[in-house]
Each structure stands twice: as C-alpha cells, then as structure tokens.
Amino acid sequence: MAFKQTRLRVPHGIGPTKENRRIRSCSSSRRRRGRRGRKRMESQLNFNIENSFDSCYSYCARQALDELPHSFTITDPSISGHPIVFASKGFLKVFGYTKDEVVGKNGRVFQGPKTDRKSVMEIREAIREERSMQINLLNYRKDGTPFWMLFHLSPVFSKQDGRVIHFVGVQVPISPPRRPRWLASGVVRNGANMCEEVDRVCGNTNIMFGSCRREVCSDTPVELSRVLALESVLDDSSRERHSLPGAGILSSSLNISLGRIKQSFVLTDPHLPDMPIVYASDAFLRLTGYARNEVLGHNCRFLSGADTDFSTLYQIKESIQTEQACTVRILNYRKDKSSFWNYLHMSPVRNASGKVAYFVGVQIEEGCKNQDRNGLCPEMRHCSVVGAVKVAVRSLSMGAGPSRS
Amino acid sequence: MVTVKQVEDDNLVSKGAIPEQLKCPRFCFRDIRIPLYRFSSQSLLDDSPFEGHVCIPEDEQSALDSLLLAQWEDKMWKGVLRYDVTTSEIKVIFGRRKFIAQLNERLGMDYVPKPEPDKICGQGNLSEFQWTKHQEEFLFYVASGEMAIPELIPSAAMPDGAVLIIINEIPVEYGHVFLVPCGPDSLAQVLDTKSLEMVARFAVEINNCSFRLFYDCPTAGTSHRYFEACYFPSPLPVELTPVDTFFHERRRGMRISAVTDFPIKTLLFESNKKFKRMVEVLVEICCQLQEKSIPYNLLISDCGKKIFLFLQMQNMANSGTLSAWECGGYFLFQSRSEFDQATEETMLNKLRDVSLDDEGFQVVKELCCSIADKFAA
C-alpha cells in the first residue's frame, strides 16, 4: 500500500492528560450525539431551505409572489438535492399538493413513467449551462394523473457576483402536443410583445420556444409573459450576466454534483490568493462546527491550532506545490476549540483543460465509530470522494473550437 | 519517525498470496478474493414500472458508484494505470452536433492491443507472470443476490454467474473498466440475455448519469465476451439527437426509435416495464446482425434507461470498425496537430464512412419489428 509515511503524533498513553481527556470525551459524546446529530442535520437542511428565499429577496417580494395566481417554483442549486424553496399557490393547485409536501423536494418527483427522458436530460443540461429554456413536459399530479405542460426554466443571477442563486420554473398546462419531443426554434406567432417581454425580464437571447401557437391554449402566451414578469419582482436590474463568474464561485451544476457526496470534504482553489475554500460539504460543516459563510473564502489553516504538527502542515504544502496527492493524520480544532484527529487525504483535481483546477481535501474523524452506509473502509472512502469530485470537475471549462494551451 | 501501520483490511486486494493452482497451466482464478457486490433480490423481471432502483435516492451517490470510484482512484494512486487520464485535454468540436475530442498522446506510446480479458478469463494457458501482473487490475465481482437490499462483502471468491470488474490500465476516460461475465458459457462469441441483463442492472445501480456502458460486437480473434464502461463528463452527441419512434408496444412499454439525422445509423431501445423482454429482443436482434455480418455497437446510458444500437457497414472481413464511444461522438486524438485541426466535418465523414446504408437500415428496422412482435405474442 503506497501511503506516504507520516509522523504520527500520539497523545500520551500514560495517565489522563488534558488532551487525552478532551479527545476521549469528544469521542464518546459524539457517539451519543449520533441520533441527535441526524435530527440536527435535518433541521439544518430545513433551515437552509427556508432561509434560501428570504436571505436573497425582500419580504415584499414574497408577498408579491404569493399574490400571483400562476404556477411556478423557485429552486436553489446550492442546497444538496437542488430542492424547491418556493412554490406558488397556483402550482399547489395545479399539482394537488400542499406547500409542505413540495418545499424541499426536487422537481423530478413530479415526473413519472411516461415523462420523456430526453426532455429531462435537456432540462438538466440547461441547468448545467445556466441558461433559460422552454420545453413541453409530461408531469404527474398528486393523484397520479399525468398532464402536459409547457415548462419554462430561467436562472436568477446575483447582482453582486453574477453567480446563479436560484432557478425559476414556470408550468403552463397545455393540451397534449401532437409530437411531444419536437423542439423547434422560432418565434411564437403571438407576437413581438411576448418576445420582448421575455427578453426584457430574462435578458437572454437564447430562448427556444417549444411549441407553436396551435398546440398551446389560446391565452397561454399572455399568461406566460405575465408570469415571467414575476422575475422583475425578484430583481429588476441584475439580468446582466458577467462573462466569467466571480472569483471562487462554483457553477450551479458543480454544486449539484458535489451535493450528492455525503462525506466531509472541501474544495480549495490554488489559483486564488491564499488558496481559499470554494466548496464545503454539509458533513464538513457538521464535523467542524462552522457555518458555510464562515469557511468559504478562507484558507484551511483555521482548522489548525496550538498542538498541530508543523511538519505535517509542511508536508501538505509541499504536496500542493508539486501537485501530488497525500494522506496525513493531523490534529485539527473545531469552532468550539475541541480537537480531533483528522485522517486527511488531499488530491489535485483537473478540469477539461487537463490542468489542476482545484484541490479536494477529504476528512475522516478518527476514534469515532464512523458509520459509512456503503461499507467502505476509511481509505476507500477517501478514494470514493476523490473519484466523484474528479468526475464532476472533469467537464468544467470545456471550451469549444480550437483548444487553449 | 513512525510509519503508518497498514492494517490488513479485507476491502483491499491482498497481495503476495499466490494460490498453488497458478503453478499449473490450467488454473482457475476463482480463488482470488476481492470485494463482492450483490444486487438486491428485486430484479428487472418484475412487471413493476422500471423507473430506477427504489432504494437509491437520486440525490445521493449509490453504494456501487462509491465502490467503483473508490477502487478506481485507489488503483490510480497505486500506479496500476499507465497514465492519469484527467490530464488529457478535452473539448467540444465547434458545430451543431457538439462532438467531443480528447487529446491523448500517451495512448499511442505504449499501446497494447485491446482484448486483455482474453488472457485473463477462461481456461487459457496463462503463465504465472501474466497472471500476477493482471491480478492487481481486478477490482470486484458483481452478482445477483437474495437480500432485500444490496450487499457488499469485503472479500469473497467468485460466485456463479458473476461479472468481474477489471480496471483498464489505458483508460479512455475516468473510471474505465471492463465488465467480464464469468459463467459456463462465457467463451461463447454471442451476446446473451443474462450478461446484458446483468450489465444493464449494473448501470441502473450505479445511478450516475455520467456513467455509460459499451459493447462492441465480437470481431474475429476475440475469444471472450466483455463490456466496457466509464464516466463521461458531458452528454454524448448521440444522446442529444432527436429520435423517431417506429415501434411502440403500448401495454408493455417497449419503444424502438431511429435516431434521426445522425451520421451513423442508430436505433434506440427504451422500456418502462418488462425490461427483460426488451433485453431478449435486443439480444435476438444482435444475433441476427452477427449472422448477417453487420457489425454493431451498444451504448447503455441514462442510468440504464436507454440502449443505443449503432449499425456499421456490412463487412465480411470484420475489420476496422469503430468503438462504441466513437459511434456516440467521442473521439480520441494522439497528436496535438490532429486534435487542433479536428472539425465537425471530418468527424461526420468518419462516422458516415462506416455506417450501414439506408437500404440495410430499412432491413434492420423491419427485422426489429418482426422480432419484437414475435416476443410480444
């Protein structure tokens, strides 16, 4: 097994030292915290979902949206599972669900056996590329009845840093289209007004209209444009997408892919000054006791403390500089100042250009009964996280046309 | 300086324990103990709608996905692979179809002809050296199971009807593995229902949209049947192309479509229910294609929900066929100049040149309908 040799710092085996006591009590209390920890994890997720809307928009925005009768949802790609964080009254009425049954779920729960897989893939691609799109889609109500709808998806960009903070999905029921998978580009004949309205609120010239007027209910285009106007309620002037997202901002699709990995890990960007954390998994936040906004943008050194071994830190630094993977055991500290032994694995992660885009650090807390649902040993768990991250990052910055060197 | 003690964990392939049987020319590699993943007892034979595995939530990495990625990354770190495929640049070729190109200079350097599984499986005459060389490439077995949920056994000998997962040391993309069905008829040249079912099940359980499975029809010289799989970073061009359904079995939900406007003739098989029937139909079609000397490739994508069948020109010599990922629109280039000068037009021509012609395609479509009807009756 080709592990690098590490200098193992072991607490004194003799007698209960202050450090020993701290570590031991930490381990046993964390075991007890198991069930409570899971409940806390759920409530943290619920908090994130509830907070997602309110932290970005004013109270008046929520009121205004509540008054609109049409069917639409707002989803948050930065929360694991890309869940719905807001569902309009019209949506609940059309689908037959209550608010609590919908908020927190991903849009796929409304799909069913006859939903066209290719359409689902196209929606997924649009999310990945952070662009608007429109498509005919078959969805299912709560009572299981299927119905066709014209689905319009649009990203909402933050004014401050240009990243995608939400996606808005609008659902307009239509009569069954004769050719369900037909996606034509072109202008809805209802007229220039509609296009202008859509262009104005979405600021995006890439809109594809999924059906011709004949197949859509007569007042649907008007209805659609009115609903799209809701985007102006959210943020009127932030339609300008910066050509490159701000430093350290991850695309929403990468966020979604990384959200599937349930272990503790962080992604750091070596191209930014001081190599800050650009992604932290929920499990990492639970392990260290920090909130997401306290770790994003900071270098990992805040995890080190008084008794952290310098030579281990140096080893990590050297591996980063030589773009190599390494595995170490390092003493880290949580927000509440308690310490734990971190079985850490770091690895460079490359994007489509073949060059290193990020480093991934996977943390396993030693000494505790680490429950791994998949039955893998710690070294394998390190590797499974690294592999999943590598697959997710591999498609980033995939340019078109002549290659950049 | 204290060294890290390597705990002999059953999850890791144990080295150095070469079984006695290796010394004799005819050996059985059943004694190699590696992890075994057993599917749950819920099989694809059910009438229930095939919407993906009910136990695995889509917003979480599945156990099989974790296992495969973990083993692959581990082998990469141990130096089993010839090169790090993530250092190969990839790009989308400018054009409507979004063909994907990869610059892989290492592929040419120490290229070894492909059918490695020939040397590994079955009762061939393998020297001890070849055997120990290949042992580290074995990742794990996959087999059907009896429990309600999938099981991972850290170390086991090969069970009956298992599929052996072997790492490909010259990968095309991250996670490139061979899936080798090992059974009594594993030396048969022809695709069979059980193998296709097992690998399709594998794709379903991986539950990762980046994961694709491939099968190239056997050419002269390969003595063993195997599949390949890897993780592709983005959709393959064929997956984005519209289709035209010409066979739709309402009650049983099997649907056969022709991929329209794609340079190589391609059929798409999908089924909501009675997946096993679709597999049987597909296998029968492939047998007939083989009899007619029509080379074909399979691509399983979208977590097992879609199976593409690529049809190449009738070729008595059975040489110079494309691999399944090339048919799908993913091309490898060995030199920087070729990579930089690749255009959509050259890729289109490459595919058109090997494609079955319109007349042949019509015959195959009719063949599909008649076989599907026969099974439906």
Side-chain angles (χ1 to χ4, degrees), chain A residues 1-8 80-82 108 111-118 121-122 124-125 128-129 131 179 181 259-263 325-327 329 343 345-347 349-355 373-391 394-405, chain B residues 1-6 9 11-12 15 49 51 57-67 69-71 73-74 76-78 84-94 98 100 102 152 154 172-174 206-210 231-235 238-245 255 257 270 272 301-302 305-306 330 336 339-340:
Chain A
M1 186 70 154
F3 280 155
K4 305 224 171 165
Q5 295 184 351
T6 68
R7 187 146 136 202
L8 199 66
S80 160
H82 195 180
R108 79 175 72 85
Q111 295 159 16
K114 291 207 174 76
T115 305
D116 180 43
R117 298 296 310 165
K118 186 157 170 298
M121 192 185 290
E122 282 171 32
R124 197 159 47 218
E125 271 312 288
R128 198 170 78 89
E129 292 171 22
R131 57 175 164 82
R179 287 180 66 192
R181 278 181 299 277
R260 296 179 85 227
I261 307 170
K262 299 303 174 192
Q263 286 90 341
C326 71
T327 308
R329 277 190 176 87
Y343 187 28
H345 177 84
M346 287 202 65
S347 179
V349 180
R350 296 165 189 276
N351 64 12
S353 68
K355 302 195 170 54
R373 280 171 274 200
N374 298 331
L376 298 177
C377 68
E379 290 82 11
M380 286 292 139
R381 276 150 63 196
H382 279 155
C383 291
S384 84
V385 175
V386 172
V389 172
K390 283 188 175 179
V391 171
R394 176 94 170 118
S395 61
L396 292 188
S397 308
M398 191 147 73
S403 51
R404 297 174 242 132
S405 49
Chain B
M1 193 82 150
V2 177
T3 56
V4 175
K5 177 170 178 275
Q6 171 52 45
D9 193 317
N11 266 341
L12 312 170
K15 284 207 169 140
E51 282 165 43
E58 248 182 62
D59 60 350
E60 196 179 312
Q61 224 186 352
S62 72
L64 188 57
D65 195 23
S66 298
L67 176 64
L69 288 168
Q71 294 262 3
E73 177 65 24
D74 182 52
M76 178 139 110
W77 204 29
K78 285 181 179 148
D84 180 358
V85 70
T86 63
T87 58
S88 305
E89 188 184 332
I90 48 177
K91 70 173 184 189
V92 175
I93 296 179
F94 186 73
K98 302 188 178 173
I100 304 171
Q102 183 192 117
L152 174 62
V172 163
E173 258 301 341
Y174 195 88
I206 288 269
N207 203 29
N208 185 330
C209 299
S210 302
Y231 293 85
F232 278 103
S234 55
V238 71
E239 294 167 338
L240 298 173
T241 314
V243 300
D244 197 13
T245 305
R255 196 163 59 186
S257 321
E270 299 168 282
N272 282 333
S301 78
D302 199 8
K305 293 187 181 75
K306 292 185 162 167
Y330 190 97
R336 166 62 70 175
F339 178 72
D340 285 341

Side-chain angles (χ1 to χ4, degrees), chain B residues 127-197:
Chain B
S127 74
E128 191 175 310
F129 170 72
Q130 269 183 309
W131 173 244
T132 45
K133 175 189 180 303
H134 285 298
Q135 187 181 346
E136 60 185 1
E137 293 166 21
F138 286 29
L139 298 186
F140 56 96
Y141 299 115
V142 169
S144 48
E146 308 291 312
M147 313 272 283
I149 53 167
E151 252 189 295
L152 174 62
I153 298 142
S155 172
M158 190 186 80
D160 288 330
V163 176
L164 173 61
I165 314 297
I166 307 176
I167 199 168
N168 184 350
E169 55 177 10
I170 36 173
V172 163
E173 258 301 341
Y174 195 88
H176 196 166
V177 292
F178 296 110
L179 295 93
V180 188
C182 300
D185 57 346
S186 56
L187 288 178
Q189 279 247 16
V190 168
L191 186 64
D192 73 311
T193 319
K194 187 150 195 314
S195 306
L196 187 54
E197 238 185 87

Side-chain angles (χ1 to χ4, degrees), chain B residues 247-285:
Chain B
F247 181 91
H248 192 172
E249 209 184 10
R250 300 240 159 242
R251 258 192 319 126
R252 301 215 176 99
M254 177 167 75
R255 196 163 59 186
I256 311 179
S257 321
V259 177
T260 56
D261 192 27
F262 198 68
I264 187 169
K265 299 283 182 276
T266 310
L267 294 175
L268 170 61
F269 292 77
E270 299 168 282
S271 178
N272 282 333
K273 319 176 210 182
K274 297 236 173 158
F275 188 73
K276 186 174 161 75
R277 177 146 301 145
M278 183 177 84
V279 167
E280 286 171 353
V281 168
L282 191 50
V283 164
E284 176 68 28
I285 291 169

Side-chain angles (χ1 to χ4, degrees), chain B residues 38-51:
Chain B
R38 284 197 180 275
F39 294 132
S40 69
S41 57
Q42 177 209 34
S43 75
L44 297 176
L45 307 176
D46 298 354
D47 269 352
S48 55
F50 169 55
E51 282 165 43

